[in-house]
């Protein structure tokens, strides 16, 4: 069993003396893991930094085995972000979210394409990096079947005055429609209702708590995935400190 593909590094965990267990978001094979012989060595370790784009060859005797990766570096994306702690935190958070939530070996070309667009935007130095990241999380939810409906109020049908999101349905609710139940709803940052609108740190943190609720509710499995997902919390900490 083998395939050749391209992908982005999501995580690289040391295994034994000098090997790595590599998790990548591939274009045609989804999130895929494999062992890299000698990957933890000084000569090769920089290749497997989070966010780097790789050309990959995976091989195993049986399809259900972990298998082995051979990889060549296409683009050292992380090298462009080493002097920008905010964008580096956003890249790390995105990789952690995908690594924690995406089922292994299920093709998700939309997820790969959206991740590639996020990485390109961060590397290009887009000023509104926080808005770029938050909208990426919204796309991830939509790509995996749990998109939020922020188009109109779920109660009244109104398209103006939208201020909340139902934590159960993911649909927007206006102030008028919320009434006495407003405290049970999630705040909806106003900038998400205007395409391309910038946001301050407070609104971004509020938005990340919104998407985080639905990522936890629908996509985060139990077990070790929680640790990988927690890197996202550091991004919120950077915004609120």
């Amino acid at each position: 069993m083998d395939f050749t593909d391209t992908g982005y590094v999501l995580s690289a965990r040391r295994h034994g003396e000098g090997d790595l267990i590599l998790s990548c978001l591939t274009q045609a094979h989804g999130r895929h893991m494999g062992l890299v012989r000698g990957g933890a060595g000084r000569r090769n370790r920089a290749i497997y930094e989070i966010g780097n784009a790789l050309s990959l060859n995976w091989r195993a005797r049986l399809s259900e085995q972990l298998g082995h990766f051979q990889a060549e570096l296409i683009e050292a994306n992380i090298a462009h972000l080493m002097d920008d702690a905010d964008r580096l935190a956003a890249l790390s958070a995105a990789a952690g979210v995908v690594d924690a939530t995406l089922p292994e070996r299920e093709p998700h070309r939309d997820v790969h394409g959206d991740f590639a667009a996020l990485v390109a935007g961060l590397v290009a130095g887009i000023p509104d990096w926080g808005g770029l990241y938050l909208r990426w999380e919204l796309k991830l939810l939509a790509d995996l079947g749990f998109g939020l409906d922020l188009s109109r109020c779920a109660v009244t049908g109104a398209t103006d005055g939208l201020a909340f999101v139902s934590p159960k349905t993911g649909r927007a609710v206006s102030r008028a429609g919320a009434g006495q139940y407003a405290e049970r709803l999630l705040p909806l940052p106003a900038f998400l209702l205007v395409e391309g609108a910038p946001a301050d740190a407070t609104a971004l943190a509020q938005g990340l708590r919104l998407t985080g609720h639905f990522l936890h509710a629908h996509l985060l499995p139990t077990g070790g995935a929680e640790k990988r997902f927690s890197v996202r919390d550091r991004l919120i900490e950077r915004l609120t400190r």
Side-chain angles (χ1 to χ4, degrees):
M1 301 294 298
D2 69 284
F3 68 75
T4 299
D5 205 345
T6 58
Y8 292 92
V9 177
L10 300 176
S11 65
R13 176 166 51 90
R14 194 180 189 97
H15 181 74
E17 289 296 321
D19 301 336
L20 290 176
I21 294 179
L22 188 67
S23 176
C24 290
L25 175 59
T26 68
Q27 184 174 22
H29 298 83
R31 184 175 72 87
H32 212 289
M33 299 177 68
L35 184 71
V36 180
R37 297 290 188 191
R42 183 178 301 177
R43 175 183 296 181
N44 298 321
R45 187 63 182 89
I47 297 174
Y48 304 107
E49 295 288 351
I50 288 172
N52 283 354
L54 305 179
S55 174
L56 298 162
N57 179 264
W58 179 85
R59 187 181 300 273
R61 188 168 60 86
L62 299 174
S63 61
E64 61 269 21
Q65 293 178 327
L66 175 64
H68 295 79
F69 271 134
Q70 289 184 325
E72 293 183 3
L73 183 65
I74 297 175
E75 184 64 44
N77 290 307
I78 199 168
H80 301 290
L81 304 175
M82 294 305 293
D83 295 328
D84 191 326
D86 289 334
R87 288 177 176 79
L88 183 59
L91 176 62
S92 298
V97 167
V98 174
D99 203 26
T101 60
L102 203 65
E104 193 180 357
R105 303 190 182 190
E106 290 185 9
H108 289 280
R109 289 185 178 271
D110 288 343
V111 174
H112 179 275
D114 289 338
F115 189 88
L118 172 65
V119 172
L122 293 173
V123 169
I126 290 177
D128 185 25
W129 64 269
L132 178 72
Y133 176 87
L134 180 56
R135 289 185 171 91
W136 170 78
E137 285 199 344
L138 288 170
K139 289 180 181 178
L140 178 64
L141 285 165
D143 288 342
L144 297 178
F146 301 101
L148 308 188
D149 182 357
L150 308 180
S151 61
R152 63 186 65 250
C153 176
V155 179
T156 67
T159 58
D160 56 352
L162 302 178
F164 304 100
V165 176
S166 166
K168 293 183 178 181
T169 66
R171 298 181 65 187
V173 180
S174 67
R175 292 190 184 280
Q180 62 181 331
Y181 299 103
E183 292 185 356
R184 302 183 185 180
L185 304 175
L186 300 169
L188 171 60
F191 82 96
L192 287 179
L193 301 174
V194 181
E195 184 66 29
D200 59 22
T202 301
L204 285 172
Q206 190 179 60
L208 288 171
R209 293 187 183 99
L210 172 66
T211 52
H213 169 82
F214 293 100
L215 289 168
H216 268 279
H218 299 302
L219 296 177
L220 189 65
T222 58
E226 183 69 34
K227 183 176 180 180
R228 286 173 282 163
F229 189 81
S230 66
V231 69
R232 180 182 179 274
D233 295 336
R234 299 173 201 164
L235 182 61
I236 298 177
E237 290 172 3
R238 294 195 65 83
L239 291 169
T240 56
R241 66 184 178 183

